Amino acid sequence: MAPGAYRRAHVDPLAARRTPADPPWDVYLTGTVFLDIVFTGLDSAPVRGTESWARGMGSSPGGVANMATALARLGLRTSLAAAFGDDHYGDYCRDALEQGEGIDLSASRTVPGWHSPVTVSMAYEGERTMVSHGHEPPPEEPAPDCPPRARAAVAALEPGTRAPWIAQAAREGTRVFADVGWDDTGAWDLAGLADLEHCEAFLPNAQEAMRYTGTRCPREAAHALTAHVPVAVVTLGAEGAYAVDARTGETAVVPAIAVEALDPTGAGDVFVAGFVTASLAGWPLADRLAFAGLTAALSVQEFGGSLSAPGWAEIGAWWRRVRSLDRQDPEALRRYAFLADLVPREQTRPWPLRRAVPTIGFRRSA
């Protein structure tokens, strides 16, 4: 995509809430940027001892860049602190994020002599297989001691580790939204997620939530998590998501949107980005959950992580399309009625959209 092309259809979901006293950024995040190389159009998983040919491939920034791109495409003023190698991979990722997506990288740095991490992803049958390579990370944290002022921050919690910037951001009034990866230690100790005390919302998947709380039901796990964080959101995969807001007493369950899933890479990041966007816009809990699920569903219909993150053009095209279908479920339409005043009113692009085509000439059969 040409630099800034997606921003011509820009929608500002926070327009009604902006004031001259606002912080300079809507959301801040930090982490590792990978160069993602995605092979698509594989008929099956690679077989040991054989050569597989892919019908398409593409490159894009990955890792924390998936989340940053998703936030920026939803109209949030996004600041990212990351380390970039001084190789061509690092230059490419910097340019794609800064010039292509409009993400602020003033808190980032280039590390001389450091090799950018690389992930090769193979997508087939709605699944993915990945191989990554990276050198030892830079000795200094990419996160600055004093993170920039922002409405919100997204943090990836690590068991047994505190990230000082999270507490600093919370003290400055930043709303912290957190997710977590799989606990390879097997401890699943909530006390080990010490920075959770600074967070407004926690968004684990069902297995993570149940293991951390010792419960057998995702809904029970969500309620148990509200003893540690005000808002708990448990993602349920193909079954949607369930959320509890202990401050208001709200609960919400929203089923997933049935789509043809081509590549799930980055879908979790897109879900979090959608939930953060809707939360900053002040929407009811059910609308926040529905919007997050919608953005994630749109992303899995394309290949790649940051490549497939939807913007308002995609959301608007989907909304116009589902309303035009005969015998559409009225209750399902009402679930997403909040989009009516947000999405671009004119359809300037055909449906289905093909923004994230991995290579020129690659076409997916109808």
Side-chain angles (χ1 to χ4, degrees):
M1 177 185 297
Y6 78 97
R7 292 197 294 272
R8 288 196 288 270
H10 181 266
V11 171
D12 184 358
L14 308 187
R17 291 179 164 251
R18 297 201 183 278
T19 71
D22 285 344
W25 306 111
D26 295 325
V27 63
Y28 165 81
L29 65 166
T30 184
T32 302
V33 173
F34 284 71
L35 171 68
D36 280 357
I37 301 173
V38 183
F39 288 97
T40 67
L42 289 163
D43 294 323
S44 63
V47 178
R48 181 178 179 179
T50 67
E51 181 179 16
S52 299
W53 279 84
R55 291 188 292 275
M57 67 164 289
S59 301
S60 65
V64 71
N66 293 337
M67 179 87 69
T69 299
L71 291 162
R73 288 186 180 176
L74 292 176
L76 297 191
R77 300 168 184 172
T78 303
S79 179
L80 170 65
F84 291 87
D86 64 349
D87 49 19
H88 289 303
Y89 298 162
D91 292 342
Y92 166 77
C93 289
R94 257 191 175 277
D95 182 72
L97 295 172
E98 196 166 36
Q99 301 301 318
E101 304 295 345
I103 296 168
D104 169 67
L105 298 180
S106 61
S108 296
R109 60 195 176 93
T110 297
V111 181
W114 185 55
H115 187 294
S116 298
V118 177
T119 292
V120 175
S121 176
M122 291 160 280
Y124 53 88
E125 300 174 351
E127 297 293 338
R128 60 180 173 170
T129 297
M130 297 183 292
V131 177
S132 297
H133 168 73
H135 293 184
E136 285 296 317
E140 299 129 2
E141 287 290 327
D145 293 334
C146 296
R149 290 181 58 241
R151 295 172 185 265
V154 180
L157 303 184
E158 294 186 23
T161 302
R162 277 192 181 271
W165 74 265
I166 297 176
Q168 175 68 22
R171 284 194 295 269
E172 296 294 326
T174 297
R175 301 165 64 180
V176 182
F177 297 76
D179 62 6
V180 68
W182 191 259
D183 186 356
D184 292 327
T185 70
W188 298 104
D189 180 12
L190 266 177
L193 301 180
D195 284 323
L196 197 60
E197 65 178 338
H198 305 299
C199 299
E200 173 179 321
F202 185 42
L203 297 93
N205 64 35
Q207 287 300 317
E208 292 161 350
M210 289 188 291
R211 286 175 180 267
Y212 270 119
T213 58
T215 57
R216 297 185 178 182
C217 167
R219 295 194 184 195
E220 183 182 349
H223 286 274
L225 286 171
T226 58
H228 305 271
V229 65
V231 180
V233 180
V234 177
T235 57
L236 309 173
E239 298 180 18
Y242 182 79
V244 183
D245 189 331
R247 301 166 303 185
T248 64
E250 290 177 280
T251 62
V253 57
V254 175
I257 298 173
V259 296
E260 178 187 2
L262 294 182
D263 183 4
T265 303
D269 295 325
V270 173
F271 183 96
V272 173
F275 190 82
V276 170
T277 301
S279 297
L280 294 183
W283 300 351
L285 185 62
D287 290 353
R288 286 182 265 164
L289 212 58
F291 185 72
L294 169 61
T295 55
L298 293 178
S299 78
V300 302
Q301 296 181 95
E302 298 291 355
F303 294 108
S306 62
L307 277 174
S308 64
W312 286 101
E314 284 82 358
I315 295 167
W318 176 85
W319 177 236
R320 285 185 291 269
R321 173 66 172 170
V322 297
R323 286 189 299 166
S324 71
L325 297 176
D326 294 334
R327 297 191 297 274
Q328 185 62 270
D329 181 1
E331 183 177 349
L333 288 178
R334 284 194 294 272
R335 172 66 275 147
Y336 297 91
F338 62 89
L339 293 173
D341 295 329
L342 285 166
V343 299
R345 297 185 182 279
E346 298 82 17
Q347 182 169 354
T348 58
R349 304 170 66 185
W351 176 271
L353 300 173
R354 294 267 65 85
R355 178 167 69 183
V357 176
T359 53
I360 296 173
F362 176 72
R363 297 177 183 274
R364 190 178 73 214
S365 59

